[in-house]
Amino acid sequence: TEAERSLAARQPPLNVAVAVRQAPFAFDPGSGAPQGLAVELAAATLARAGLRVAAWTPMEPAAALQAMRQGT
């Protein structure tokens, strides 16, 4: 709806952590920009929802889980 699009547009850009070492779904090719099917799907979903991404951060799965638990 228009109200949902307006709400999404007002949100600050997201910082997205990507649990890597799960090729072909998510991996860090060494450039610091995660790649893979899950990354592409998440990017398309966020774009369709009107949400912006400030940064994609590759993380080891255990570190990503810990960060979510801590809310960071």
Side-chain angles (χ1 to χ4, degrees):
T1 67
E2 185 56 40
E4 292 169 324
R5 283 189 287 278
S6 177
L7 177 63
R10 293 192 309 268
Q11 299 306 306
L14 302 171
N15 293 312
V16 180
V18 178
V20 293
R21 292 201 308 166
Q22 299 179 27
F25 304 106
F27 58 95
D28 181 2
S31 65
Q35 296 180 6
L37 298 172
V39 176
E40 292 174 20
L41 179 61
T45 302
L46 291 169
R48 185 170 179 130
L51 297 169
R52 296 166 289 142
V53 175
W56 294 87
T57 305
M59 299 180 83
E60 292 298 319
L65 182 60
Q66 183 66 23
M68 287 190 308
R69 286 182 176 147
Q70 293 175 344
T72 58

